[in-house]
Every structure is written in structure tokens, then in C-alpha cells.
Amino acid sequence: MAQHRHRTAAVTGTVLALVAALLAAIPAGAAPPPDTAPLDLTKSTAQWIDRTTVAVQEDGEPAATTTLVADPDGELAVRDGELTGTGRESVLRRIPGGLDPAQRARFPHLSAYAAYEVAPKDRVHTAEDLTGQVVLTRQKADGTLTTATGVQTHGVLDDLYASRATKATLGPVFRKGGATLSVWAPTARSVALELDGDRVPMRRDDASGVWSATGPKRWTGKPYRYAVEVFSPSARAVVTNKVTDPYSLALTADSTRSLAVDLDAKSLAPKGWRDLKKPKAVPLRNAQIQELHIRDFSATDRTAKARLRGTYLAFTDARSKGSRHLRKLAGAGTSYVHLLPAFDIATIPEHKADQKTPGCDLASYPADAEKQQECVAAGAADDAYNWGYDPFHYTVPEGSYATDPEGTRRTREFREMVKALNGDGLRVVMDVVYNHTAASGQDPKSVLDRIVPGYYHRLLADGTVATSTCCANTAPENAMMGKLVVDSLVTWARQYKIDGFRFDLMGHHPKANILAVRKALDALTPAKDGVDGKRIILYGEGWNFGEAADDARFVQATQKNMAGTGIATFSDRARDAVRGGGPFDDDPGVQGFASGLHTDPNSSKANGTPAEQKARLLHYQDLIKVGLTGNLADYTFTDSAGRRVKGSDVDYNGAPAGYAAAPGDALAYADAHDNETLFDALAFKLPRTTTPADRSRMQVLAMATAALSQGPALSQAGTDRLRSKSLDRNSYDSGDWFNALHWDCRDGNGFGRGLPPAGRDGNGFGRGLPPAADNKPKWPYAAPLLTSVRVGCAEIEATSAAYRDLLRIRTTEPAFGRRTAADVQRTLSFPLSGPDETPGVITLSADADGGRDIVVVFNATPQTQRQRIGALAGQPYALHPVQEKGGDSIVKSASYDKGSGIFTVPGRTVAVYTRSAP
């Protein structure tokens, strides 16, 4: 089975800077270089952007004649410098001045293209021409053919059909009289419905391009697919594709057929589903989120029922240690569980009998062995594991997580999972991946492109599919792909009661598309839809890269562009400052605030001289301060050099550190599924001699920088338990062995011979060298660590308890949940920031408007630190009651001297102090 490798996360500031430099070298509005093989029908360099206009790259003098040739049978070819085959010809007229302002606004990347007009007499044939092969030719005055190229048609399809098609209801619809199945296929010559062995003709609506068929109620539950006769540019022929429904609501196993299912059927609703009571909605600015992979949650949990491990229903097993831990987190203040992709996944065999397992005794090998990763990799393409960033059908739950992938059991069991999580006090976020598909063209796992070839995917200048996301990029800027995004999300919200959505690579979506999602969700009401759409939270990856970078094709849903929308983007600024360096450093030992930079240096020469380390550490502290404000662009403070700056003035690899307009625009995190876990990153960066207890303390301190920020924060599941993936930086296909969540610390390690004597206690570290495909260059750094670094149950439980204490403080103290940027500016400060601030220490002060004022000291140094805030002398501060009574014994030794205003904090400790209102 083909694998579609998911990119390692977070395009970092360093990578973005490189991308920006490359883009800067291209003149604004410049067209890409012309095709070096102009007589090439495998490419499509011309673009039919609306019914009147074709945009063409020109190199040198315009041709004497430019023509569109349309062949309904798709038999046009180039042989010996001549176009062969027959087709209807339309001579185009060159438009002086090129595209008009409206067209340039719609297609900014084509601004430098020449524009050609389709004659009025030929426009009446446009719809017909689009059902076959379309070629653009250019000839010299003597008739010599200089150009023969395919034509991109997404623009003209939108012009012809979008106004009606975007209002159509697609997929299966059930009414009292029966069922209707509808699919948008405007370029198809014919479409037939193959339903349960019968072939049913479908009727085309010419205004919308939608084909539909209506049948009796007995169609319910029947398997179906469409037979679409269409010209395929990738095949360069008219083909008949047997393809499932892009708007499928249910599927047979391994997605071979769609199922005509009514999601409103009572048989698909668990008991109590229709009147499900949800936990209180937490606004995005206060959300504390646990990111969790469905299989990771229970696949190796020996306390979970064996038949439910790795499934949706494992979340209904209230006695398992995983469920108990989620309830502990919910009780401490975690408000949402963010599930990694759970829609239909293209790369997992859905029947358990078809899923491979490693053929080795993985636990028998040494902690630094290559054998574990070799055994896992050998079966990775066909095992039960994948993160799921390879969409097949967007609006159907993944079958491998069901106890039976056939039929509608996955629908009911997904709902059972949501109901169980809600019952545990957690609302549910779903990770969605509309920016790419697992395949395109005539690939068997291609759905969209086999129905409307060349439309749903973003095409480059030569007509090939863009793959900057990792796979076949979709084009949500095209009306019907944008509609699919909105319709799919509304279905998940209405039919599965999802409480939030996290957008993978959201920067590859137009901002307008994400705002359309927000508008559609806001329209959902409890009375009409069973959910309150205004309570659904939205956030995503606002990275700026690829062919859409810097708003080249549309205004993107990137970090800077989404500010002020109420839709959050992940902030990599403080993440990198806390950890140190970036995810793609050649030397993983580059240190940061929470990994000992300057204050506890390791042996890596990449960190520079002591003076360089100090300077970088102080700059990192400024980045973290901006993060603690919620990444506000206009928040003003004194930086570590003593200058009065705004958040947007602080540099992050050439970009502004602060970009948010309000708390809630930026989402804080110290780790996520991408890149090394926080524990593994710290294993690379902390001195190898760091004790287990100190590793635990630095983990807590790193997590605190996110948890105690204004705005939402996310933590990867298990990070509070020192979760390790044995230093794997990209575990998307690394199986259960490397990805396992160890709810019981006594089951954490692989019992390898390289582990210390008491080796059962652990967190997953030392399970062998991580998979070679993404990690081999780091093996020389990894091998010595895998046999020497170790933590046990004492450190794991202490980390989790300390993190839960921080959650309780964050979610109960009003000082951390400010509504506006003005509120943050008025109440939050860094009183010791400036040229004399202590390297490795950040001190934050926050007023609470009648509640308890707060002082937080983040001491990342190994030594006890004394922080004097003279303005607070005489004020009655004390260690926060939660920490005073909490699970961290060392923080309890933190003190405050009222007379001098000195806060004394132990090394590697975050201490929160409160002052009660008079």
C-alpha cells in the first residue's frame, strides 16, 4: 500500500526565512519561466479563467494565431511538430493590457500573463468543450506550430457553474419518499449510479453541473459508487472511472464502496445521544487542550478491555488507566481533547486480519539497537498505524478504529467515543486535513480527481499538481473545493457533535474559506441542529510556505492574516525559545530557555561561546514574554536590552514575534505530535548527566510557559508523563512500538539489555534507535543517550502532578484569562525585564481586578534565584495555595519576603504567588 508521508510539523521560522528569501528573488507578479517543451500535451500551461478569457504565458513576440481546440473524444496529440486529431477550433483575440483588475485580483499569480478573449460566437460551446480535451495552440504567420499545451479549466468551471452548484445538496439525502444521490461532475460525458448491483442512469442539471438519481427507500444502506465517463488529462484519454462519492457518509471496509446512509436514523444513535449534555463550553482564549491519537490512547494499555484496544470504544472503558488519567486532567482544568485525524484514512488496512505486526521480539533488543526500527519499518506500510494525515473520504469515520469496519458500526462507535469523552468532562476537537488528499489523477485512492479531473487540486504553472504540503494539494480557493470543506465540517458538527476543529496546514487555505466555515458553524443552533455552533472553537497551523506563500494566490489563513478573527494559529515563537534551536537543526543539542542554554551548558559547539549563549538566552526570554501575553503584536514592554518595544518589534527569524490582535489568536505549545516529544528534545539538549528529577523539573517548567500564557494552550498527550518516542522526530508511521502511550509507568520501557537494572519503570525511552528514514543522521547523537538517560515512576508521577497543579491555577485564576489586548496591557507586566534581568529567569506580574493578583517566577537555572520587585514590597504575597498543597515538594520551599519584595525560587522551578484583594 502506498504511503503518503506527512511532513514534520511546524514549518519553523528558520525554514520560513529560507522560503521568504527564495520568494524575494522572484520579481513581484513575474510569470514562471515558459515551458521548455512548448509542444507538450502532458503539461497544461494555459489557463481558461472565465468564459471570456484565457491566460497564457508568453515568451517573446505574440503568435500570429492563438486557438483553443476542443475534442470531445480526447484524441488530440502532437506528432512531428503538428497537432493531430480533430476538434472544434476557437480563434482567440489578444486583449491589450492583459487581465483586467478584477481578474488580477481573482488570480494574482497570473498578473503577468497575457490575456486572450474567447469570441462571443464560441462561448455558447464552452460547456460542451469542457467535457472533452481542450488544447491551446499558437502558430506563426507561416502556420508553424510553436505551442501546443493542455488548458487548466478550474476558473472557467467556477464561472459557469459555481453560483448554482455551491447551493446544491450533494451526497445522499433521505426524505419520506426515498433517497436522492447527487454528485457534481460538470465535465463528465455521462454519469451512472452503480447501486447494489444495479446500474441507474443519472440526470444532469445543466445550470449546476450536478448529476442526481432518486430511488425508493430500500436504497437505504445499500453500497454504491459512480461510473463517471470523463476526459482525464493525466491519462490523456476519455475514461470511465468507477469511484466512490466525495460526499460519502458511510463506507464499506477499505473504502471500496460508499453506503447510502441516513445519519439521522435512530439505529445509529447511542442511548442518550440526541439529548447529550456536554461539559460547559470553554472559550478558545481559555482552552487547555490535550492532543491525542485514537490508537495511541489504548492500543498498548493492558488495563483496557482487550477487544476494545485501539478503537473508538476504548474511550467508553471507564476503568482503564487511560480513561482515569483523562478524567484527572479534566478535573484539573483540561477542557478539550484534540483527536488526530479520525476521518477515513487511505493508508491503513481496515480489517485486523490484513494488518501486519512486527515479526521480531522487539523487547529483546538493546536500547540503542537498530533492529527495532528495522522490524517496525518492514511492515509499516500495512500495519494498523498511521497518524492519518492522508485523507481518503473527508466525512466518514476511519474504519480501522471500529470494532468492525463494515457497515455503519464506525458511525455509532465514533458517537459513543464523543459521548464518553463528554461524560469525562472533556469537549472534543477533531484534527481535519482538507489541504491535501492522499492521491490524485487516476490513482485508485484518488476520488476527487477522477470525478472532475484537474479541478479540486491546486495546479502549478505547468499543470502538475502542487505537493508542497507533502501530497496532492487541494485548492479550497476553487468554489466547489471550498464548499466541500464547509459542508464536511458542518456534517461533523451536526451529526457527530464535534466541539472544535484544528486545521492542518491552514495557511494553504484562503482566509475567506476558513471564515466561511466560521459563518456556517455559527448558524447552527441547538433547536434546529442539536448543537450550538457559536461554541465550536477553531484553530490551525498558520504556516506560510509553498506555492501559496505570501498571499501569492489569495489572502491565506496564516498567522498574521488570522489575527482578530477569533480563530487561533499555533505559535512557534515561544516553542522554539523554550526548547532551543529548531526541529531541523543538524545538531539536536542546540539549547534553549528550558534546556539549559548558558545556565547549564552541554557539550555542543553549536551553542556558541558563553557570551553568545547569554545573548541568545536573553532574546529567547523576550520571545517567551511575548508568548506569555498571548503573542500580542501591540503589547509594549521593556525587552532584555532595556528598550521599550512592542511584541511585533521582537524578531523571530526575520518575522515579528508578536502577531496576535487579542488573546485567543495564538495557541501556545511546547510540543505536539510533530517533531520530538518534549522529553526527547530535552534528552538531546540537557547535559547527559542531568538527573531524572531535574529532567522532570525542566519538563514542568517548559510546559508552564504554555499553560500559563494568555490564550489557549495545547499539550501532546503523555507529555505530562514524560512521554518519549525513543527520539523519533516524525513518528507518523512508526507503529505502536515507538508511539505507545504509557499510562502505567511500570510498562514504559522495552526491557532492553542496555537499560539500567530497574528498567521496567519508564516512559518509552530506550526502545531502540528511531526509524532511519527520518532520524538516521541523528543516530550518533541518539545512541549514547538511549543507554544512559532514564526516568522512573517517581519522576513521571511528579511531573504529572505538578502539571495538573499548574492547570488548576491557570483555569481558576482570572489573571490568566484576559479578554482583550487592552486588558493584558493594563494588567500584565514583566517588572524585572531589562539589561539587568537574570539570564534564565522570567518574572511575570498580573493584576486581577479585585481577584487575586499573581506573580510567576520561571527559574530555569540550576540555582535558587532571588527576584526583587521593589514596587511590591509590603504587599502580602504567598505561594499559591494549589502549589502549597500540591504535588511538587520542592516548590513548597519557595518564599517571599514582604519587607524587601524578594521572591526566592528554587532552581528549575516555576513558582506562582498570589496576593489576595484587600
Side-chain angles (χ1 to χ4, degrees), residues 3-10 291 340-341 347 386-391 431-433 435-436 468-471 502-505 541 543 545 584 673-675 729-733 774:
Q3 287 291 304
H4 296 273
R5 175 174 172 174
H6 183 54
R7 80 283 174 275
T8 35
E291 182 197 59
L340 265 64
T347 50
N386 200 285
W387 278 347
Y389 291 91
D390 45 2
D431 201 326
V432 291
V433 190
N435 64 80
H436 65 255
S468 58
T469 62
C470 79
C471 312
R502 177 268 195 190
F503 290 88
D504 181 70
L505 297 183
E541 293 180 303
W543 318 130
F545 71 102
F584 308 109
H673 65 278
D674 285 310
N675 310 312
R729 76 172 184 87
N730 188 18
S731 68
Y732 79 103
D733 202 20
D774 286 298

Side-chain angles (χ1 to χ4, degrees), residues 237-251:
V238 174
V239 296
T240 298
N241 287 322
K242 305 294 183 73
V243 62
T244 47
D245 191 344
Y247 274 71
S248 293
L249 298 177
L251 295 160

Side-chain angles (χ1 to χ4, degrees), residues 371-440:
K371 192 65 176 176
Q372 295 95 323
Q373 62 87 31
E374 179 184 309
C375 290
V376 168
D382 297 303
D383 67 4
Y385 197 90
N386 200 285
W387 278 347
Y389 291 91
D390 45 2
F392 200 170
H393 296 84
Y394 283 120
T395 322
V396 183
E398 162 60 18
S400 69
Y401 299 146
T403 57
D404 185 347
E406 294 289 358
T408 56
R409 189 169 293 184
R410 65 178 81 180
T411 298
R412 184 183 177 97
E413 292 181 357
F414 189 105
R415 289 169 165 173
E416 292 272 19
M417 173 184 66
V418 172
K419 181 172 174 282
L421 284 167
N422 288 171
D424 286 341
L426 295 159
R427 293 170 74 88
V428 179
V429 170
M430 187 173 172
D431 201 326
V432 291
V433 190
Y434 296 102
N435 64 80
H436 65 255
T437 57
S440 62

Side-chain angles (χ1 to χ4, degrees), residues 443-467:
D443 189 286
K445 286 186 165 35
S446 170
V447 177
L448 298 170
D449 216 18
R450 290 197 293 147
I451 295 176
V452 192
Y455 177 83
Y456 283 101
H457 292 93
R458 186 173 302 131
L459 305 181
L460 299 175
D462 65 356
T464 56
V465 176
T467 58

